[in-house]
Amino acid sequence: MSTKVYVPCDSSAQALGANRVAEVIGAEAAKRGADIELIRNGSRGLFWLEPMVEVETPQGRVSYGPVRPADVPTLFDEGFLKGSQSPLFIGPTDEIGYLKNQERLTNARVGITDPVSLDDYIAHEGYRGLRRALEMQPIDIVQEVTDSGLRGRGGAAFPTGIKWKTVHDCKADQKYIVCNADEGDSGTFSDRMAMEGDPFVLIEGMTIAGLAVGATWGYIYLRVEYPVAHRHLNQAIEAAYAAGYLGDDILGSGKSFHLEVRLGAGAYVCGEETSLLESLEGKRGLVRFKPPLPAIEGLFGKPTVVNNVVSLASVPIILDKGGAYYRDFGMGRSRGTLPIQLAGNIKRPGLVEKAFGISLRELLYDYGGGSASGRPIRAVQVGGPLGAYLPESQFDTPLDYEAFSAISAALGHGGVVVFDDTVDMAKMARYAMEFCAIESCGKCTPCRIGSTRGVEVIDRIIEGKQRGRNEELLRDLCDTLLNGSLCALGGMIPFPVLSALEHFPEDFGATKTHAA
Amino acid sequence: MTENMTREQRIQAVIESLKDKPGALLPILHGIQDDLGYIPSEAVPAIASELNLSRAEVHGVISFYHYFRQTPPGKHTIYLCRAESCQSMNAEALEAHAKKRLGIDYHQTSDDKTFSLEPVYCLGQCACSPAIMVDEEVYGRVTPERFDEIVEAVKEEA
């Protein structure tokens, strides 16, 4: 019987050399006449161990990492196909502390299965949610999602069930499900991991959404920066069509759902739902005025559910195990789990899916192991380029939507980017404004003009020119952006800027006498 | 088969195959750029007439998106991530090194037409910052030395 060997095909694993490792393992096995089955799984999300190679043994899967191509012959010599100890031996994968203490609901299969194998998906509880949904009335599916307490994981945290109910209640000849897979926030990669590592879960989630609201067409609007996700999604969609999980008569139910991937073209603002819809319609990605809500007049003027990847990928388990099962994880009004992404200057970067409520400090030190450089962690940006920079004094804030808004921060997509004490926070504030200027869609004046002026004002502060007056001007400008912008790009860019100014005034040349 | 076709015919073939999709403009622009490496100016009137749009509308869409280019790229395009996570791991030094090594700034192509350099705002490789992508291959934890190795290797395989 052949031994199963797993080498991740996740793009970060590839970025660290996984493809070459897989090739060398294949060649070495052939040379030695070892009977192996090489499987390219997704990533477990323990990126400091990537490329992480797993071997299936009678006692379960054991892991080795990080494996370089040159390590492979030695691994064979040491008997890694039997799960033997060696310097790269990590142990039974499920027992690794980082992984063991997680609560993986949405990412339950990521890193375990062959992402593009429908059989593997089904063997790991895939498509059970859809089978149950096919036996339910649409409104009962909506109710199940409402009961789960699921809120949009894209950042705005709007209750998913309410959005679905609005679309469900609309009368229309055509409705759409649109997956916002344009996650362009630095420090976030859970969408990418889900699409690369378990594309079927997204397809299943979207199909269930279609059944719930009466939509027969879905689009995944995917970032062009994610070519591996693009390939995997298309392969999975093709397999789902071939097996009757997509198409005109899903599993003989008479219900239909069609799905297509559309590529974006490198515009950050297209992650905003209305500009995403404009882009899908073939236009410049300009933000739309709301109302009308996309739920009522969305894609091509039809009622449309727009949800993020992680939100839709959470739906299958909710339908499979029930809304209450999902709701029982979490705290307050933040229910279920959040895939948190540890990134930047951190020793153990990776994916940590936990119920809401874990503190930043636990994440940074217990999971992350402190900074990669070994220097003190000085600032942490949570929630992407529009998220606040938090100083050490705020590291005990629990990850919960309300707790974060209470400190003028945003949990956003759960991305955590770590900076050590060499960071220049005035430069980061300037970068935030510059980013807004580059990425503004240009429709509203505060964002279009304000971001450019913002860069200039910060430059003057950095140069020490009329510091007090310019700081006042910057605050005033941020107030205009916050209250006058059409969408979150202009409306949230003050968060990183003001938090940097607030918590790290010394980097802006402030002395204690005029810090305020 | 596309080798025997003129550029105009190739553009027309892409338009024909995609024009009936709802919201066909972006797929068409991707199709043309995938085929030719960029979107030449003569594509604009051709697309406009098939999709019943004005030339200004088509041009407006091309210029809105960072990914679409209106001039031919080098043989390989290097996308360098400028986002926060990469910055926290010295992307700025890498950026300076890359520009010096290639002798070009962002949005430019080297004289020998081998490399084009583009900034990108997040490759989703934040767990192995700083990251670059060369064509469709991603590389993580890229130091200036590793950058040189990658550039040399890519050159050789060409």
Side-chain angles (χ1 to χ4, degrees), chain B residues 12 15 40-51 53-55 58:
Chain B
Q12 208 54 47
I15 297 172
S41 56
E42 68 257 36
V44 175
I47 298 168
S49 97
E50 287 289 351
L51 295 188
L53 296 168
S54 73
R55 292 179 188 196
V58 176

Side-chain angles (χ1 to χ4, degrees), chain A residues 122-190:
Chain A
I122 291 166
H124 288 84
E125 305 189 351
Y127 274 127
R128 291 189 357 181
L130 177 68
R131 285 188 183 277
R132 181 158 168 256
L134 282 169
E135 287 163 9
M136 294 165 71
Q137 290 302 312
I139 193 67
D140 297 328
I141 305 175
V142 173
Q143 191 59 47
E144 196 82 78
V145 172
T146 306
D147 291 345
S148 75
L150 180 67
R151 291 161 77 179
R153 296 290 189 257
F158 189 80
T160 305
I162 293 177
K163 196 184 268 187
W164 287 22
K165 176 77 166 46
T166 307
V167 178
H168 171 276
D169 290 351
C170 285
K171 299 268 173 287
D173 55 346
Q174 180 68 58
K175 298 178 187 178
Y176 295 101
I177 308 295
V178 169
C179 173
N180 181 348
D182 195 52
E183 171 187 83
D185 289 355
S186 174
T188 57
F189 46 84
S190 65

Side-chain angles (χ1 to χ4, degrees), chain A residues 270-286:
Chain A
C270 291
E272 194 282 334
E273 61 176 4
T274 61
S275 62
L276 185 155
L277 294 173
E278 290 284 303
S279 184
L280 262 180
E281 290 178 5
K283 302 175 201 156
R284 294 163 71 96
L286 298 187

Side-chain angles (χ1 to χ4, degrees), chain A residues 83-161:
Chain A
S84 61
Q85 307 265 343
S86 89
L88 293 178
F89 183 71
I90 309 294
T93 311
D94 292 336
E95 294 301 315
I96 302 172
Y98 196 98
L99 201 55
K100 193 182 178 183
N101 299 321
Q102 296 193 27
E103 290 148 311
R104 289 202 171 181
L105 303 182
T106 307
N107 293 288
R109 267 175 304 267
V110 175
I112 295 177
T113 54
D114 173 348
V116 294
S117 162
L118 178 59
D119 291 341
D120 213 3
Y121 183 67
I122 291 166
H124 288 84
E125 305 189 351
Y127 274 127
R128 291 189 357 181
L130 177 68
R131 285 188 183 277
R132 181 158 168 256
L134 282 169
E135 287 163 9
M136 294 165 71
Q137 290 302 312
I139 193 67
D140 297 328
I141 305 175
V142 173
Q143 191 59 47
E144 196 82 78
V145 172
T146 306
D147 291 345
S148 75
L150 180 67
R151 291 161 77 179
R153 296 290 189 257
F158 189 80
T160 305

Side-chain angles (χ1 to χ4, degrees), chain A residues 211-222:
Chain A
L211 295 176
V213 304
T216 53
W217 259 100
Y219 290 98
I220 299 171
Y221 183 89
L222 177 69

Side-chain angles (χ1 to χ4, degrees), chain A residues 11-12 15-16 47 184 186-187 189 192 219 223-227 231 260 262-266 279-285 300 343-345 349 381 385 389 417-419 427-428 431 435 438-439, chain B residues 21-27 30 53 57 59-61 63-68 82-89 92 120-129 133 135-141 146:
Chain A
S11 64
S12 283
L16 297 170
F47 287 109
S186 174
F189 46 84
R192 180 187 62 66
Y219 290 98
R223 309 188 73 216
V224 70
E225 293 87 350
Y226 290 178
R231 279 197 296 278
E260 188 183 325
R262 286 286 174 90
L263 283 184
S279 184
L280 262 180
E281 290 178 5
K283 302 175 201 156
R284 294 163 71 96
F300 304 116
N345 196 331
Q381 187 179 33
Y389 283 99
V417 178
V418 181
F419 294 82
K427 216 152 100 180
M428 297 317 295
Y431 173 81
F435 178 77
I438 293 169
E439 295 296 337
Chain B
K21 278 184 182 288
L25 183 52
L26 246 60
H30 272 293
L53 296 168
E57 281 171 301
H59 178 77
V61 169
S63 59
F64 181 83
Y65 296 95
H66 302 303
Y67 180 75
F68 293 135
R82 286 197 67 207
E84 289 86 347
S85 176
C86 286
Q87 288 191 45
S88 78
M89 293 299 276
E92 248 186 42
V120 58
Y121 296 87
C122 205
L123 290 169
Q125 306 301 328
C126 323
C128 52
S129 298
M133 182 156 83
D135 304 326
E136 287 201 350
E137 287 288 313
V138 282
Y139 301 86
R141 293 185 208 139
R146 191 154 144 66

